[in-house]
């Protein structure tokens, strides 16, 4: 038989209130089963991919690109939304992913946070180096969160991507882009786990095909290449992904470095003097 609260004794009323409180609290907050689970991370990097397709202009020949920073600035909210999804990934979630998923995540994060860093001062800069100072380079600034910690671009590249025994892939040096003309081109698509090898190989071929950054002079027998191969020579000498020496890199890609059959034969045989070109730190801006 049901009784109203008014009809109950004081003791029975207290017992009824104590019993009802947890149910009322759950009703207000929503039961665990009714709460919306967090959305899974988008390993297609769809938002970043869309921004790249819209704002990265690939040069004729497909070996270089520039960024339409002025237009991208008007969509900075979309960029920040993507960066927020990167920052929201917990270390535990990242740890459960495949190695290709992790590497694609870190490379896209590096490139996207680099663009965001440029936009903090754009258009009042001519180079990413303008964002540094005498005491701190722009790559050492801790200006974003990733995997639960405040991070810098240097941490992503050198402590996470290049950490020995983690990914061990020298081709990452044509994937991480520092917003400079001398850098490998920023692709007009996001890196994705299922196509990572293909994208790395394609980026390396495009970079070596760009005569402004890598070129072979058959007349003098001189192979002049980007300073990247000087700075990170050791990464190409560790035997990872089949690259044991810099010569291996140039031998494999003789067909894009040499413009004639004889030049290609010389490159494959190692008949050249190796030199390094000056690095162009000018902003890779479309303006």
């Amino acid at each position: 038989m049901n009784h109203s609260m008014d009809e109950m004794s004081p003791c029975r009323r207290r017992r009824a209130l104590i019993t009802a409180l947890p149910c009322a609290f759950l009703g207000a907050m929503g039961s665990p089963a009714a709460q919306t689970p967090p959305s899974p991370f988008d390993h297609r990097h769809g938002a970043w991919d869309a921004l790249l397709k819209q704002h990265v202009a690939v040069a004729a020949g497909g070996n270089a690109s520039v960024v339409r920073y002025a237009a991208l600035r008007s969509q900075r909210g979309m960029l920040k939304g993507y960066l927020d999804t990167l920052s929201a990934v917990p270390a535990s979630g990242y740890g459960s992913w495949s190695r290709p998923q992790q590497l694609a995540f870190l490379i896209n994060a590096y490139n996207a946070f680099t663009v965001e860093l440029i936009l903090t001062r754009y258009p009042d800069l001519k180079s990413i180096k303008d964002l540094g100072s005498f005491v701190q380079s722009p790559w050492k600034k801790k200006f974003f969160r990733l995997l639960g910690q405040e991070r810098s671009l240097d941490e992503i590249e050198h402590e996470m991507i290049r950490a020995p025994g983690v990914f061990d892939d020298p081709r990452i040096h044509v994937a991480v882009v520092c917003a400079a003309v001398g850098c490998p081109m920023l692709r007009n698509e996001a890196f994705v786990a299922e196509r990572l090898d293909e994208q790395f190989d394609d980026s390396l071929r495009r970079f070596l095909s760009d005569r402004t950054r890598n070129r072979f002079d058959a007349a003098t027998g001189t192979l002049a290449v980007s300073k990247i191969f000087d700075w990170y020579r050791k990464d190409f000498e560790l035997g990872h992904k089949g690259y044991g020496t810099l010569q291996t890199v140039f031998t494999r890609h003789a067909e894009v470095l040499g413009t004639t059959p004889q030049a290609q034969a010389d490159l494959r045989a190692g008949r050249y003097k190796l030199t390094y070109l000056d690095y162009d730190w000018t902003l890779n801006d479309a303006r």
Side-chain angles (χ1 to χ4, degrees):
M1 183 175 181
N2 294 327
H3 296 277
S4 69
M5 291 290 284
D6 290 338
E7 294 173 333
M8 294 180 185
S9 68
C11 290
R12 292 183 65 188
R13 281 201 298 272
R14 283 196 296 271
R15 285 197 298 270
L17 284 169
I18 292 169
T19 303
L21 279 172
C23 295
F25 179 78
L26 284 173
M29 298 297 294
S31 66
Q35 291 177 4
T36 303
S39 300
F41 183 77
D42 176 19
H43 286 288
R44 296 177 301 104
H45 298 270
W48 178 231
D49 187 76
L51 287 169
L52 291 171
K53 282 181 167 56
Q54 185 175 356
H55 298 296
V56 173
V58 178
N63 301 326
S65 69
V66 289
V67 180
R68 301 185 183 100
Y69 288 107
L72 184 52
R73 187 174 55 168
S74 69
Q75 288 188 295
R76 197 171 174 189
M78 184 175 175
L79 173 61
K80 286 190 172 183
Y82 171 68
L83 297 177
D84 286 345
T85 68
L86 299 178
S87 296
V89 173
S92 58
Y94 171 86
S96 70
W97 297 345
S98 69
R99 285 296 174 86
Q101 287 174 330
Q102 291 176 343
L103 185 50
F105 173 85
L106 292 175
I107 291 172
N108 288 325
Y110 183 97
N111 291 341
F113 278 113
T114 296
V115 169
E116 169 62 15
L117 180 61
I118 295 299
L119 293 179
T120 62
R121 178 143 356 143
Y122 187 87
D124 300 321
L125 75 167
K126 295 180 180 179
S127 167
I128 188 172
K129 286 191 166 186
D130 294 343
L131 295 165
S133 65
F134 288 113
V135 295
Q136 185 183 58
S137 83
W139 296 281
K140 294 189 181 298
K141 285 185 176 183
K142 291 180 182 286
F143 68 96
F144 59 90
R145 288 188 67 80
L146 200 68
L147 305 183
Q149 295 184 36
E150 294 296 321
R151 306 276 186 181
S152 67
L153 293 172
D154 260 5
E155 285 180 76
I156 295 182
E157 181 178 7
H158 303 303
E159 297 179 23
M160 302 172 80
I161 295 177
R162 296 181 63 222
V166 180
F167 302 111
D168 293 335
D169 195 329
R171 297 172 300 171
I172 62 95
H173 294 298
V174 294
V176 292
V177 179
C178 57
V181 169
C183 288
M185 64 177 281
L186 181 63
R187 295 179 71 89
N188 62 345
E189 63 176 5
F191 285 93
V192 290
E194 61 270 19
R195 293 181 52 230
L196 210 50
D197 269 325
E198 171 195 335
Q199 290 175 309
F200 282 174
D201 283 340
D202 182 63
S203 292
L204 183 54
R205 282 192 299 271
R206 289 173 185 260
F207 185 53
L208 290 171
S209 299
D210 185 351
R211 297 292 176 260
T212 67
R213 293 173 292 186
N214 301 279
R215 52 183 177 267
F216 178 59
D217 185 341
T220 62
T222 301
L223 176 60
V225 298
S226 168
K227 284 289 286 184
I228 285 175
F229 294 109
D230 184 21
W231 295 330
Y232 301 113
R233 182 180 191 126
K234 289 183 179 179
D235 287 11
F236 288 95
E237 294 178 338
L238 294 173
H240 301 312
K241 303 300 178 181
Y243 293 104
T245 64
L246 277 185
Q247 185 175 335
T248 306
V249 179
F250 308 138
T251 297
R252 283 192 188 180
H253 298 89
E255 77 284 356
V256 297
L257 282 166
T259 57
T260 66
Q262 182 57 55
Q264 293 168 9
D266 289 342
L267 286 162
R268 291 191 180 97
R271 293 190 293 265
Y272 54 79
K273 175 187 176 182
L274 185 63
T275 63
Y276 299 99
L277 297 167
D278 291 336
Y279 206 77
D280 188 348
W281 287 105
T282 306
L283 185 66
N284 60 342
D285 191 4
R287 65 181 177 183

